[in-house]
Amino acid sequence: MTSSVPRSAAPLTGAHVLVVEDDRAVREMACHLLAGAGCAVVAAGSAEEAQELELAPFDLVFCDVMLPGASGIDLAAALGERRPGLPVLLTSGQRDADLRGAVEASGLPFLPKPYTAEALQLAVASALDRPAPA
């Protein structure tokens, strides 16, 4: 899996990010890092919880690939049906070949865990700058 991280990132001030992560400590850390970079952050602990949210205010979804009940890739597809063009940045600490293949097939940007605050900020900035899928 490759990380799509640019060399420099634009400020994230004002970006609204939905963080979907089932591990509470990781979710809280990601929210803290993004808020520190100037993002407005809302967190969800599951795909189901994320799908219950109104997507209009979000500029990006930062989502773990491995979620209970649904994969982050499946969640990205479902959210994309509700709001076409909504950027999604995937993350995972898993390194197996099946996951790697699924992430690559999705065409979505990916940030491997563990990540630093700088890597997260750069990956979010890059995902926000990507053109919407056709």
Side-chain angles (χ1 to χ4, degrees):
M1 284 179 270
T2 59
S3 174
S4 54
V5 178
R7 296 179 196 272
S8 64
L12 300 178
T13 303
H16 288 77
V17 179
L18 171 59
V19 174
V20 186
E21 169 65 58
D22 61 315
D23 183 308
R24 182 178 178 193
V26 175
R27 183 173 62 244
E28 289 175 355
M29 183 215 41
C31 289
H32 175 75
L33 294 175
L34 290 168
C39 296
V41 183
V42 172
S46 68
E48 181 180 341
E49 188 179 340
Q51 288 190 32
E52 293 173 359
L53 296 172
E54 171 56 49
L55 296 177
F58 297 111
D59 300 309
L60 175 89
V61 176
F62 179 51
C63 183
D64 191 4
V65 175
M66 305 299 291
L67 295 168
S71 76
I73 296 167
D74 292 339
L75 174 62
L79 297 179
E81 288 179 13
R82 289 180 41 207
R83 182 158 159 228
L86 177 63
V88 175
L89 171 62
L90 297 173
T91 188
S92 181
Q94 302 290 325
R95 302 283 192 262
D96 65 65
D98 289 340
L99 178 97
R100 182 173 45 253
V103 169
E104 288 173 1
S106 77
L108 295 170
F110 179 79
L111 177 65
K113 293 178 189 174
Y115 46 80
T116 63
E118 180 181 18
L120 176 58
Q121 181 179 355
L122 291 170
V124 167
S126 177
L128 287 167
D129 287 341
R130 283 179 65 142

